[in-house]
Amino acid sequence: MNNTLDSKREAWATIATFMAILIALSAIAQFAIVKLNPVSIYVGALMCCPALAAILTIKIKGRGLSELRLKWGGWRSTVHSYLIPVVYISAAYCLAWTFGFAGVPNSETIAEWGSELGLSGMGVT
């Protein structure tokens, strides 16, 4: 019984550590999104926060990355993991463009975002 209680405490301590790291990392990315130029690179940083928090939590707890038990799935699940988001995004964009909720991005906006990221001299604009 005591062993079960200790393992529960350890699990909750690990979850609390993960959440604290995740909140701290996400706060930095959220600040960048809200206060700095709102470009998509900060959204990408925000999306990386859970993975970074998991890796840091494992390292803080003295465990190895192998304990995550990540493995490559079958080819069918891999193809689905790439195609399903593309289908959802395509449907959302088609609906938004069809009903006039959004427009196709114009070249001026793309050029502005490129210059904010320092890509203006690379032929991106």
Side-chain angles (χ1 to χ4, degrees):
M1 170 132 159
N2 198 15
N3 192 15
T4 304
L5 186 60
D6 288 340
S7 66
K8 283 185 180 181
R9 282 187 184 149
E10 179 62 27
W12 281 108
T14 303
I15 292 170
T17 303
F18 170 77
M19 291 303 294
I21 294 170
L22 180 61
I23 289 168
L25 292 174
S26 297
I28 295 168
Q30 290 286 356
F31 175 81
I33 291 169
V34 172
K35 294 292 183 181
L36 302 176
N37 291 333
V39 292
S40 61
I41 195 165
Y42 301 127
V43 175
L46 180 64
M47 291 175 11
C48 291
C49 288
L52 290 173
I55 291 168
L56 289 172
T57 301
I58 284 177
K59 290 302 177 183
I60 288 171
K61 291 294 183 175
R63 299 177 181 168
L65 287 177
S66 62
E67 289 191 34
L68 286 178
R69 297 184 184 177
L70 299 174
K71 65 176 187 170
W72 193 261
W75 286 107
R76 183 176 182 202
S77 61
T78 302
V79 169
H80 286 150
S81 69
Y82 283 105
L83 292 182
I84 289 173
V86 170
V87 170
Y88 286 153
I89 291 167
S90 299
Y93 273 106
C94 287
L95 288 172
W97 291 336
T98 301
F99 293 112
F101 296 127
V104 179
N106 59 19
S107 59
E108 291 139 5
T109 304
I110 300 299
E112 181 182 327
W113 289 345
S115 66
E116 287 176 2
L117 291 172
L119 301 175
S120 60
M122 303 178 90
V124 175
T125 58

